[in-house]
Amino acid sequence: MKLNLIILFSFFLSLFNAQIKFKVDVKETNTWRNIYSLIDEKNKTIKVLDSAKYYVSMSGSDFGYFAIFGKKNHAGWSAIDSNENVLFQVYNTSFGEPTPDYLIEYKIRIIDESDKIGFANDKGRIIIPPQFEIATSFHNGKAIIGSKCEKIPWNEHAKEGDCHHYSIICKNYGYINEAGKILKIGNYQFEEIQKEIDWKPHEEY
């Protein structure tokens, strides 16, 4: 009997904590602040966010299990769930431009405090912990990774505060599968690995 109660309690707890799909509704105001609301699939408002915390929403109009926001006084991009919990930080795809990653093959690139790259799925769960210096999006179940990498500036900038653009050059390249297992890594060129696994960038890139 006691065991049944524990199982029943765990079941209801999992239902309570289960995430729901939502989208972000943006209302412009006459001030510099926008009002962001989280809306469920029945078009009911789950929560109105504190506009003092967020300066931009980078999520589209589709329903999903997380939304990407820029938070004030916080570098980078935060993915939040319907309860406004921060699930992970989203990788920015272009150095020098505000371009957070997005779901490709049900996976999105994420980063940790050391800027190592991993992946989360479309449910907002981390499936490959951040560990790679550089990683592409997935194509046909494989992603290209690099190690021993460095940033190469495109050109000189007049001021430190100018927008800085970089390319990433690595000494080693390889690729991983959807479980995050490294299938190959070594002194290869990016183009060699790209050709070997027939990797292609997503059409929106």
Side-chain angles (χ1 to χ4, degrees), residues 76-96:
W77 305 105
S78 298
I80 66 169
D81 64 15
S82 59
N83 293 315
E84 208 178 342
N85 298 311
V86 175
L87 303 175
F88 45 78
Q89 300 300 310
V90 177
Y91 175 72
N92 196 71
T93 64
S94 178
F95 294 102

Side-chain angles (χ1 to χ4, degrees), residues 34-173:
N34 288 333
I35 298 174
Y36 302 107
S37 302
L38 307 185
I39 310 296
D40 68 15
E41 291 182 290
K42 295 180 180 179
N43 207 34
K44 293 182 179 179
T45 300
I46 303 169
K47 177 176 288 193
V48 178
L49 303 183
D50 181 356
S51 58
K53 291 183 181 179
Y54 304 93
Y55 67 88
V56 65
S57 168
M58 299 300 288
S59 297
S61 58
D62 295 333
F63 287 95
Y65 289 96
F66 61 86
I68 301 171
F69 278 91
K71 298 184 71 176
K72 294 174 183 177
N73 302 316
H74 188 281
W77 305 105
S78 298
I80 66 169
D81 64 15
S82 59
N83 293 315
E84 208 178 342
N85 298 311
V86 175
L87 303 175
F88 45 78
Q89 300 300 310
V90 177
Y91 175 72
N92 196 71
T93 64
S94 178
F95 294 102
E97 297 178 5
T99 51
D101 202 24
Y102 52 91
L103 286 166
I104 298 175
E105 294 193 1
Y106 305 104
K107 290 174 283 293
I108 188 170
R109 284 174 287 181
I110 64 175
I111 57 171
D112 63 11
E113 62 278 359
S114 301
D115 288 335
K116 292 294 179 67
I117 301 173
F119 292 85
N121 65 14
D122 59 328
K123 301 295 192 299
R125 300 189 184 98
I126 296 174
I127 54 174
I128 302 175
Q131 58 193 280
F132 306 111
E133 289 182 59
I134 197 69
T136 67
S137 58
F138 275 85
H139 178 74
N140 290 334
K142 294 183 178 67
I144 300 175
I145 59 170
S147 66
K148 298 181 180 179
C149 308
E150 62 177 325
K151 294 180 181 178
I152 307 299
W154 286 3
N155 48 46
E156 295 297 325
H157 303 276
K159 301 176 184 177
E160 182 62 29
D162 286 351
C163 187
H164 288 235
H165 295 82
Y166 301 90
S167 295
I168 297 292
I169 304 297
C170 304
K171 291 185 178 179
N172 297 323
Y173 287 99

